[in-house]
Each structure stands twice: as C-alpha cells, then as structure tokens.
Amino acid sequence: MSAALGREVGLWGARDEVFGRLAGVWRFKRHIIPYGTVSGSAALTSGRDGRLSYLEQGWLHLPDGQILKATRRYHFEKSLAGFTVLYAEDPPRVFHRIALHEENQIWAGVALHICGADHYQSRYDFHTEGSFVVRHVVRGPAKDYSMTTHYTAQRALFL
C-alpha cells in the first residue's frame, strides 16, 4: 500500500491519489449519440496553482462524412474526496464536482450539472489497469444526446 490513506484500486492507487495520476497525455475515443465520434489526445498538465489544465485536440467525424477539428479545455482541481472540473474561463466556473467512491473494484464518481433547463448526468469510472471512462447523458429542451469517452494512457506520469 502507498503512503496515501485508504484502499488502493489498481494503478489508480488510493482515492486521494487519483487526481495526481490524471497528469499525462491520454488517447481518447468519444461516441456522441446521435452526432458522431471524436478521437484524438488530451493532455493534463500541472500548473503553479495546483490545478491540472486539460487540453483536448482531435477530429470530429460526423455521420454525413464531414471531419472537423475539435478542441476542448478545462481545469481540474483536487478536492477532499476527488476533484472538481472547471470551465477554462476567467474566472473559472464549476462544471461539476466528482466525489469518488469504490464500486465493483473501481473508483467511480457521479455528478449533475444544470445548464438552464438542460441537465448533464455525468459519471467517471477509473479502471484498475489505468484507463478511465467519462459518460455524459444530456437531456432537456435544447439538448438530447449521450457522450461516452474512453481514455487510455499515451504517456501517463504514473505508469
């Protein structure tokens, strides 16, 4: 067991180690139902403020054959039970807070984000071999889709 307190789950270690182990470069594949797929890489880099900056770059493949460049930015901030995801704005605004718990021998966390009348139900699953999955189910009068992103380490700092 590491110096962190609590149970370890695979390569993610104890709950308070998950945030730090996100740092690195990840390959991702995202399915956005019914809009298409995105694939590319995401880098989580440490800043002087203790946050991780998330920069995603990839290609969106639409059902009609169009291919568009896709970019997304967030900040991740460590919290007592997990982490907070912030929009990369000035000042940063909270997207959601993830409190991790052990579930079926993985670390998992769920969150709800309300955007006007639309709701984002989000779930993070951290698998024992070091990959993770983020799911968003978005419902409301303006939005109706689900998005599942699978991340695998390209250059994770803990592997």
Side-chain angles (χ1 to χ4, degrees):
M1 186 173 262
S2 70
L5 299 175
R7 177 166 160 64
E8 292 190 6
V9 177
L11 292 176
W12 293 101
R15 180 174 67 181
D16 67 344
E17 294 176 310
V18 172
F19 174 81
R21 292 181 178 191
L22 285 167
V25 179
W26 301 85
R27 288 184 307 277
F28 74 89
K29 178 76 172 194
R30 175 175 301 131
H31 297 276
I32 310 167
I33 298 170
Y35 299 114
T37 61
V38 182
S39 58
S41 65
L44 283 110
T45 55
S46 297
R48 282 180 266 152
D49 57 4
R51 291 182 178 150
L52 292 174
S53 292
Y54 176 97
L55 172 60
E56 170 182 305
Q57 298 182 40
W59 297 99
L60 169 62
H61 297 260
L62 298 172
D64 67 3
Q66 287 186 76
I67 300 173
L68 306 170
K69 187 171 177 123
T71 303
R72 181 176 288 197
R73 294 176 189 271
Y74 292 104
H75 296 294
F76 284 53
E77 196 170 72
K78 188 172 184 169
S79 66
L80 186 61
F83 54 90
T84 300
V85 180
L86 306 156
Y87 292 107
E89 302 171 339
D90 191 17
R93 196 168 44 97
V94 172
F95 175 37
H96 53 229
R97 290 180 172 84
I98 301 296
L100 297 172
H101 63 278
E102 188 182 350
E103 180 180 299
N104 298 320
Q105 299 182 359
I106 67 168
W107 289 120
V110 296
L112 172 66
H113 172 76
I114 298 172
C115 181
D118 299 313
H119 295 79
Y120 290 70
Q121 283 289 145
S122 300
R123 179 178 172 91
Y124 288 68
D125 290 330
F126 294 91
H127 298 280
T128 57
E129 84 291 345
S131 69
F132 67 103
V133 176
V134 178
R135 292 179 182 87
H136 303 290
V137 176
V138 186
R139 300 287 182 258
K143 300 173 184 163
D144 186 13
Y145 64 92
S146 66
M147 186 164 58
T148 303
T149 307
H150 296 264
Y151 292 88
T152 55
Q154 183 171 320
R155 276 194 327 265
L157 298 181
F158 72 93
L159 295 177

